[in-house]
Amino acid sequence: DCTMALKIDPKEIRAYKLRGSIYYEQKQFVKAIDDFERLTKLGPNVAENHRLFGEAYQANGNLEQAMPPLMQAIALDDKNARNFLARGRQYRLMRKFEESLADLDKAVSVDGNYARAFVERCKLHTATKKFELAATDCKRAIEITPPEDAVFVYSAMGSLFSAQGEVAKEIAIYGDAIKLFPSNDLFYDLRGSAYLRNNQAEPAKADFDKAISLDPNNSSAYANRGLACIANKKFDEAIADLKQAIKINPKSSEAYDGLGVAYTQTGKTD
């Protein structure tokens, strides 16, 4: 037990790293940030510690706070592809696309078999509407990706089809992903969103139901189910789901927008 180990020895580096990684996987990013910050203080010259710290900030949406530790990771180790991948993703999220491409090209040059680097560059090319380059990177990622990373490839391919307006292909690729990863709530949420954009509210709601059953803290799935309920004119159900989405994630602009629509339709103010 990591917590017990830290009570015995508050400077046990491995315990902070392991517990922080568990928190990260559980999407408890604030707790992960705290553990990884302690990790950087106990091991300030280890690049991985700073990268983990920055990635936790990044996952929590704290983009400004994420950059300094990601920069430090590269300063300590500029031969590690994952360090450049993390900063390249950071630049993409900040919409600094040229800087992002430079880092992702570097990640690929450092390790030409690093599937996640190709996946991330696919996402960048999709964001900049360079669809042929995005497809090439996705194809390469499929060729080299290990089974545990395949989830990232399917997500990137779905985003590419979405950006191209190929909703049927997007639905199909998420269906393939669900067959491989039936316990991953993300793909049900993503396929549900595609169904909703294709004016298929009933299968969309079924997917959102499944996503929520797999992860009751999936704010996006609650928000999307609320939108599906609006499409079906079930406004009271929509309001309940959208409020739950906001409770889980107070920064969900999509949920606030949907709630405004539901209130307008019902004449309610609360």
Side-chain angles (χ1 to χ4, degrees):
D1 184 278
C2 297
T3 301
M4 182 60 68
L6 290 169
K7 286 181 179 179
I8 296 171
D9 183 1
K11 294 185 178 181
E12 175 54 61
I13 291 178
R14 289 175 298 178
Y16 280 117
K17 180 179 177 181
L18 178 57
R19 191 175 69 176
S21 297
I22 292 171
Y23 283 143
Y24 187 96
E25 291 300 320
Q26 294 176 340
K27 300 180 183 178
Q28 298 186 57
F29 299 125
V30 173
K31 291 182 178 180
I33 288 168
D34 183 61
D35 274 358
F36 291 145
E37 182 177 21
R38 293 172 186 269
L39 195 63
T40 62
K41 292 178 179 177
L42 291 170
N45 296 318
V46 179
E48 182 184 24
N49 297 345
H50 293 277
R51 189 192 70 243
L52 291 170
F53 185 29
E55 287 177 331
Y57 266 132
Q58 191 179 83
N60 200 46
N62 306 114
L63 299 185
E64 290 186 7
Q65 293 95 325
M67 185 57 83
L70 295 178
M71 297 288 284
Q72 183 63 17
I74 290 175
L76 289 168
D77 184 1
D78 62 358
K79 300 293 189 295
N80 187 301
R82 184 167 174 179
N83 292 342
F84 285 100
L85 168 64
R87 193 176 68 176
R89 182 191 302 115
Q90 175 71 14
Y91 279 132
R92 176 177 64 81
L93 293 172
M94 297 172 68
R95 304 191 68 78
K96 294 185 177 182
F97 296 136
E98 290 185 9
E99 293 90 338
S100 176
L101 181 59
D103 271 357
L104 297 174
D105 284 348
K106 180 67 175 178
V108 169
S109 70
V110 170
D111 184 353
N113 290 311
Y114 188 25
R116 291 197 188 192
F118 287 97
V119 169
E120 186 59 40
R121 197 169 65 178
C122 170
K123 291 180 180 180
L124 172 64
H125 287 320
T126 299
T128 54
K129 301 187 184 303
K130 297 178 180 178
F131 299 132
E132 289 186 7
L133 292 175
T136 298
D137 275 346
C138 269
K139 181 180 179 181
R140 176 58 179 156
I142 291 170
E143 292 172 350
I144 62 177
T145 189
E148 65 270 18
D149 281 356
V151 60
F152 300 101
V153 180
Y154 281 101
S155 177
M157 290 176 66
S159 295
L160 173 58
F161 288 138
S162 176
Q164 292 177 303
E166 299 278 2
V167 182
K169 290 183 179 179
E170 182 186 0
I171 290 170
I173 200 66
Y174 290 141
D176 290 342
I178 287 169
K179 291 177 184 177
L180 290 173
F181 307 100
S183 298
N184 191 311
D185 60 292
L186 170 67
F187 290 121
Y188 289 100
D189 188 22
L190 290 172
R191 189 176 67 176
S193 296
Y195 276 133
L196 196 57
R197 282 185 275 108
N198 206 39
N199 298 315
Q200 295 175 265
E202 286 301 327
K205 184 179 180 300
D207 271 355
F208 299 139
D209 287 344
K210 182 64 175 180
I212 290 167
S213 73
L214 290 169
D215 181 6
N217 291 313
N218 188 328
S219 172
S220 174
Y222 275 107
N224 285 326
R225 191 170 71 176
L227 297 178
C229 287
I230 289 175
N232 285 328
K233 301 186 184 304
K234 297 179 179 179
F235 299 114
D236 289 338
E237 292 179 31
I239 289 170
D241 274 346
L242 293 164
K243 283 185 174 181
Q244 182 64 19
I246 292 168
K247 181 179 179 180
I248 297 170
N249 177 17
K251 297 180 181 179
S252 175
S253 58
E254 186 176 41
Y256 281 109
D257 289 344
L259 196 57
V261 172
Y263 280 152
T264 299
Q265 291 295 325
T266 59
K268 295 181 179 179
T269 57
D270 192 3

